[in-house]
Amino acid sequence: MQLPSAAENSFCGAAASTGEVSDLSLEHAIRQPASMVTCSQGYFLEKCGDHENANKVFDKCIAAGYAGAMIWKALLLDDGAGVEQDLPKAAELLHRAAISGDPAYGPVGKMHYATVLYLGRGVTQDRAEAMKWFQAAAAEGNPEAKDFLATNYHTGYRDQQGMGAGTPTSAALAPLANAVSEERHAVPALRRNAVAMRADQGTSAPILPPASPLPPATAITPTTPPQAIQGQQLALRTSPTPSSATGASVLLIALLLISFAFGALRKKRRRRVR
């Protein structure tokens, strides 16, 4: 569920319209002593975009020994979200959570600490040691640690590209491959549509240039004739055979001309006789 922003709702840290701070608002948690409820409200403050107050709550809860706050703050430090990135500090907090003995957050801390050891983020990379922590987290029921031991990949941690830790499985790479495939075929599709529109409309509208070289399978079929053919192509046509109606008309005209000539000849003879 996406929570409202601080500017939209008092639940996200803004004071009530009366100017008073409601006991139900997240701003109320900033003024309370560390407790499980207060520390969890720091998580919601961060989700609402109130990084400053979220870190105040996390720091207060970390000082009181709450493992959940250690993990949340470590992930912010690892990513540089709302705070300056500090990988060694993040790794230190994750180690503290891993050895906290907290029944809920201890296994999560072990999984995350194993991950930074495996990746070498903020600590010297030690994959053999990382596997020990993954095994410990899996033994305590952490599903991401179990996934890693089974497939050498888990998504309990994600990088800036959304990929998890370890060697991605084919299933994990499938969405990324699909996105790349869609992007590669977007421009050829636009080019084909532009060519079709130009052919239908008989215009010389420009065609979009390709963003990158295309494989032969996606090459666009030319819509113009081969270069060797110039101008219009002419085909021989035979003269149509006159129809019966046309022949009758010609015969009638011929008869009229003969009659006219014959009449003129008779008149000439009569004049000579007179």
Side-chain angles (χ1 to χ4, degrees):
M1 179 181 70
Q2 184 177 4
L3 297 175
S5 65
E8 295 172 343
N9 195 298
S10 61
F11 179 77
C12 275
S17 59
T18 59
E20 298 178 356
V21 178
S22 168
D23 288 347
L24 298 177
S25 71
L26 293 179
E27 187 173 296
H28 180 72
I30 305 168
R31 306 180 182 182
Q32 301 306 306
S35 67
M36 183 63 71
V37 174
T38 301
C39 298
S40 63
Q41 286 177 322
Y43 171 82
F44 288 108
L45 279 167
E46 174 60 32
K47 288 299 182 182
C48 287
D50 191 347
H51 306 300
E52 180 181 357
N53 286 323
N55 278 284
K56 288 180 181 179
V57 172
F58 289 151
D59 291 342
K60 175 169 52 181
C61 291
I62 289 170
Y66 284 91
M70 296 174 192
I71 296 172
W72 294 332
K73 180 64 177 280
L75 296 179
L76 296 181
L77 290 168
D78 182 274
D79 194 50
V83 292
E84 185 177 354
Q85 188 179 51
D86 190 336
L87 297 183
K89 180 64 176 178
E92 177 193 343
L93 287 173
L94 291 175
H95 182 254
R96 287 178 60 184
I99 63 175
S100 66
D102 187 290
Y105 289 102
V108 181
K110 289 179 173 64
M111 181 272 295
H112 279 294
Y113 184 59
T115 301
V116 296
L117 281 169
Y118 185 87
L119 299 175
R121 291 184 67 81
V123 293
T124 302
Q125 188 177 51
D126 189 339
R127 294 190 171 181
E129 183 68 13
M131 294 304 294
K132 296 178 182 179
W133 286 99
F134 275 126
Q135 290 167 357
E140 295 178 14
N142 182 262
E144 287 80 11
K146 292 179 179 180
D147 288 344
F148 189 87
L149 292 176
T151 66
N152 200 43
Y153 182 76
H154 77 80
T155 56
Y157 167 88
R158 291 186 182 273
D159 60 19
Q160 295 291 343
Q161 287 72 43
M163 299 303 296
T167 304
T169 60
S170 57
L173 290 173
L176 181 61
N178 291 337
V180 172
S181 178
E182 290 175 3
E183 183 177 353
R184 284 175 59 84
H185 289 82
V187 170
L190 290 175
R191 285 174 55 83
R192 286 192 293 271
N193 292 338
V195 170
M197 290 178 63
R198 190 178 71 169
D200 291 342
Q201 300 174 2
T203 64
S204 57
I207 303 174
L208 295 175
S212 59
L214 302 176
T218 58
I220 302 171
T221 303
T223 57
T224 58
Q227 188 64 28
I229 301 176
Q230 301 293 337
Q232 297 182 349
Q233 300 183 45
L234 303 179
L236 294 176
R237 298 182 59 184
T238 58
S239 301
T241 303
S243 62
S244 58
T246 303
S249 299
V250 172
L251 180 59
L252 179 60
I253 293 173
L255 291 173
L256 289 174
L257 289 174
I258 293 172
S259 298
F260 177 78
F262 184 75
L265 181 61
R266 290 185 63 186
K267 287 182 179 181
K268 184 175 182 180
R269 289 180 176 179
R270 287 178 183 176
R271 289 176 184 172
R272 290 178 178 178
V273 173
R274 291 177 185 175

